[in-house]
Amino acid sequence: WDNELYIIDGSNIKKYRGSTNYKTAKYKSKKFVTEKTTSMGWLSVTAEGYPITAKVWADDVLIADYTLDTDSVNGYAFTTTEPAGLSASLHEPVMRLPAVQAQVFEVQIESAFTVNDFCLAQSMAEIQAT
């Protein structure tokens, strides 16, 4: 009668999307296995909003832990935990990964916003082609 959707949670009734406090979702990809060892040099993540946290593992070793956010100067900015102490201002939501040779790669994305896609690539040309 009020054009809203409600959900029953145990003995509680809650309004669906009735809050402006969004919960963070975490997605971890499958293991991407390459034929030969390679270096994935770039990660792009497009989302409905920012900040997002992106982590990349190579052969089960965490090689990148980035936080990507919006920036009033160029559009996007990132800071890192791994490798430590890096930050940059970006025109696109694309981050450079450390030069690591590996055969198995995994990506984890955390965000309170809808993530449309991510691309792990060897070159910028591969990202631009997607």
Side-chain angles (χ1 to χ4, degrees):
W1 52 277
D2 64 355
N3 288 326
E4 297 290 340
L5 178 63
Y6 293 86
I7 296 174
I8 298 173
D9 181 14
S11 61
N12 299 318
I13 298 175
K14 298 178 180 179
K15 186 189 294 187
Y16 179 71
R17 294 194 175 181
S19 171
T20 57
N21 296 328
Y22 298 110
K23 293 187 177 183
T24 300
K26 183 188 300 186
Y27 166 79
K28 188 167 185 183
S29 73
K30 67 178 187 175
K31 292 185 178 194
F32 296 100
V33 181
T34 61
E35 252 183 62
K36 300 177 183 176
T37 58
T38 189
S39 180
M40 294 294 179
W42 300 92
L43 176 67
S44 72
V45 181
T46 55
E48 298 293 320
Y50 296 89
I52 62 103
T53 300
K55 295 180 181 182
V56 179
W57 286 266
D59 289 341
D60 295 321
V61 175
L62 181 66
I63 62 166
D65 184 348
Y66 294 172
T67 299
L68 180 65
D69 206 345
T70 54
D71 178 320
S72 60
V73 177
N74 289 314
Y76 301 93
F78 78 86
T79 56
T80 67
T81 303
E82 181 65 41
L86 300 177
S87 64
S89 186
L90 312 164
H91 293 288
E92 299 177 55
V94 179
M95 296 153 285
R96 183 76 165 114
L97 297 174
V100 173
Q101 292 282 327
Q103 198 167 357
V104 180
F105 294 90
E106 290 177 277
V107 177
Q108 178 177 297
I109 308 293
E110 291 182 58
S111 178
F113 301 95
T114 300
V115 175
N116 297 322
D117 61 59
F118 72 89
C119 180
L120 184 63
Q122 290 178 295
S123 68
M124 279 298 291
E126 288 178 323
I127 289 178
Q128 292 167 343
T130 61

